[in-house]
Amino acid sequence: MGREEDTMEDHCLPKSSMAGGGLIVGNYCHDVLFRDGVVVGEGLGGAASFLSNVLDPLSSNPSLYISKVGPDFSYSVSHAPITSTTSQTTLFHAHFPSTPGGGYHGDRVLHCIRNCEPILPSDIPSYKFEFGLAAGVAGEILPETLARMLDLCRVMFVDVQGLIRIFDSEDGTVGLIPLRSTAFSELIPRIGFLKASAEEAPFLDLEELRKVCCVIVTEGKNGCSVYWNDGEVNVAPFPAVQIDPTGAGDSFLGGFVVGLSWGLAVPDAALLGNFFGALTVGQIGIPKFELSLLKAVRQELERRGTQYSGQCQRKLSVSYQKSVSHKDFQEFLFRTAELYGSSDGTRESIHIGDNGLCEVDEGHSKIL
């Protein structure tokens, strides 16, 4: 981690030991949205739903998803979760005031009304994976579960929200605690990449963490910053009209992982993360990406990843220097968003109702 360029491992894992490109662990949930105390929508939530929306169409290899829900789970998803017999699906209430406040999720106040049972180490099959992604939302990833993932995955990506969130015992209000005070802290040196939002970053000891892993801090309209032992870089944002910020961090992380899996340098992968994060905030609930946009991005990733082809494909080899084509890649993504995307926050399936609220029903979300 102390060099500008580092390679994860020098051997190829036997094909028979691989279950897929990656292991994604984190629960689906039900989200209910309130505006000034009035219910304005409900839909599918959870990091797994936003991550699969980016990873599935763009990854070079399929991933295995491990999630848990209750028998009340009401959505059809591409990756079937484990159904718990002892608890219901995780449920969040997000309250959006007319005037945004401050603090964690300053644009909204988040309450965890109930949470499904945690994902256990025994829920994860004994295969080797190219990468692992721990994306908890409501305490479902235990320290022993993360340790199990670290044993099985060559490179680990972790969203810090799943490690430092706490929930008020009375109303479930989501808060944060310092990472160093959790049982996860001793596992951090084994993590490759730790992602945090700007609101979560103060709960990390960034100067110490960057000595042992790469830390990515998403900064909304300011893009993101990447920190490692020997340096740091800010990666430019993409313009967006924010309608619903839910899931933007998950979409960012999905784009970042996809970029690295195709062999992009870390700043280029972060640029791809910013791109998908910006597209996400311009839509309500789980974003609908145009097939033409996804096709164009995948073709560009395949073109850039050809240098990593061969029998022993060494994707996820990490360079922290901006590539010589970083600016070209940025311009390509700008053009793609203009041609195919929804960067203005609108698309045909969304319209403004008589009550001034957006109305959309796409199977995974219902905004009234």
Side-chain angles (χ1 to χ4, degrees), residues 104 158-165 176-182 184-185 188 191 193-210 212-218 225 227:
Y104 186 38
V158 177
D159 191 331
V160 79
Q161 71 174 9
L163 313 187
I164 64 174
R165 277 184 170 181
L176 300 172
I177 58 173
L179 178 59
R180 65 176 177 272
S181 69
T182 72
F184 295 100
S185 59
I188 299 302
I191 292 171
F193 298 88
L194 186 70
K195 176 258 173 190
S197 69
E199 293 80 16
E200 293 159 348
F203 293 83
L204 312 180
D205 190 339
L206 181 58
E207 291 307 310
E208 289 301 315
L209 287 176
R210 67 191 295 182
V212 296
C213 70
C214 178
V215 183
I216 306 102
V217 179
T218 56
S225 295
Y227 303 89

Side-chain angles (χ1 to χ4, degrees), residues 19-49:
L23 170 66
I24 317 299
V25 177
N27 285 348
Y28 294 104
C29 65
H30 292 162
D31 286 343
V32 181
L33 282 63
F34 295 79
R35 178 76 65 185
D36 293 329
V38 178
V39 176
V40 296
E42 56 184 293
L44 172 66
S49 57

Side-chain angles (χ1 to χ4, degrees), residues 276-350:
F276 280 106
L279 291 181
T280 297
V281 301
Q283 301 188 37
I284 296 173
I286 300 171
K288 180 177 174 61
F289 301 129
E290 297 292 340
L291 291 178
S292 51
L293 178 146
L294 294 170
K295 181 179 179 181
V297 171
R298 185 180 176 91
Q299 288 177 339
E300 179 67 9
L301 291 172
E302 289 175 343
R303 184 185 72 80
R304 290 172 175 269
T306 53
Q307 60 182 304
Y308 298 93
S309 62
Q311 185 175 5
C312 180
Q313 292 195 4
R314 295 288 315 290
K315 301 167 182 183
L316 284 174
S317 58
V318 178
S319 169
Y320 291 96
Q321 294 279 22
K322 286 185 178 180
S323 69
V324 294
S325 60
H326 181 85
K327 190 67 176 178
D328 290 340
F329 187 44
Q330 183 181 29
E331 292 175 354
F332 162 79
L333 293 173
F334 269 118
R335 291 195 306 271
T336 302
E338 291 173 352
L339 287 172
Y340 309 115
S342 302
S343 59
D344 62 352
T346 63
R347 62 181 197 274
E348 292 181 0
S349 56
I350 295 180

Side-chain angles (χ1 to χ4, degrees), residues 9 13-15 17-25 62-66 123-133 148-156 316:
E9 283 191 9
L13 294 167
K15 253 188 176 179
S17 69
M18 297 292 289
L23 170 66
I24 317 299
V25 177
S63 292
L64 176 66
Y65 289 74
I66 306 294
D123 294 319
I124 301 175
S126 298
Y127 296 108
K128 294 292 184 180
F129 297 87
E130 183 181 351
F131 69 86
L133 204 168
R148 169 73 168 167
M149 295 181 70
L150 287 162
D151 290 339
L152 297 175
C153 301
R154 188 158 66 91
V155 185
M156 273 297 302
L316 284 174

Side-chain angles (χ1 to χ4, degrees), residues 59-178:
S59 294
S60 55
N61 291 302
S63 292
L64 176 66
Y65 289 74
I66 306 294
S67 302
K68 283 186 177 179
V69 298
D72 62 320
F73 188 62
S74 56
Y75 297 97
S76 174
V77 292
S78 300
H79 303 279
I82 299 168
T83 301
S84 170
T85 59
T86 61
S87 58
Q88 291 183 298
T89 302
T90 298
L91 172 64
F92 279 100
H93 285 181
H95 292 263
F96 291 78
S98 297
T99 304
Y104 186 38
H105 289 309
D107 51 359
R108 62 198 186 278
V109 177
L110 202 59
H111 299 272
C112 183
I113 305 304
R114 61 172 179 262
N115 55 339
C116 195
E117 65 176 280
I119 298 168
L120 304 175
S122 58
D123 294 319
I124 301 175
S126 298
Y127 296 108
K128 294 292 184 180
F129 297 87
E130 183 181 351
F131 69 86
L133 204 168
V137 293
E140 69 268 32
I141 297 179
L142 306 172
E144 53 266 37
T145 304
L146 181 58
R148 169 73 168 167
M149 295 181 70
L150 287 162
D151 290 339
L152 297 175
C153 301
R154 188 158 66 91
V155 185
M156 273 297 302
F157 301 83
V158 177
D159 191 331
V160 79
Q161 71 174 9
L163 313 187
I164 64 174
R165 277 184 170 181
I166 56 172
F167 309 96
D168 184 86
S169 59
E170 293 186 3
D171 64 1
T173 300
V174 179
L176 300 172
I177 58 173

Side-chain angles (χ1 to χ4, degrees), residues 46-64:
S49 57
F50 288 92
L51 287 166
S52 60
N53 200 36
V54 177
L55 290 171
D56 287 358
L58 295 179
S59 294
S60 55
N61 291 302
S63 292
L64 176 66

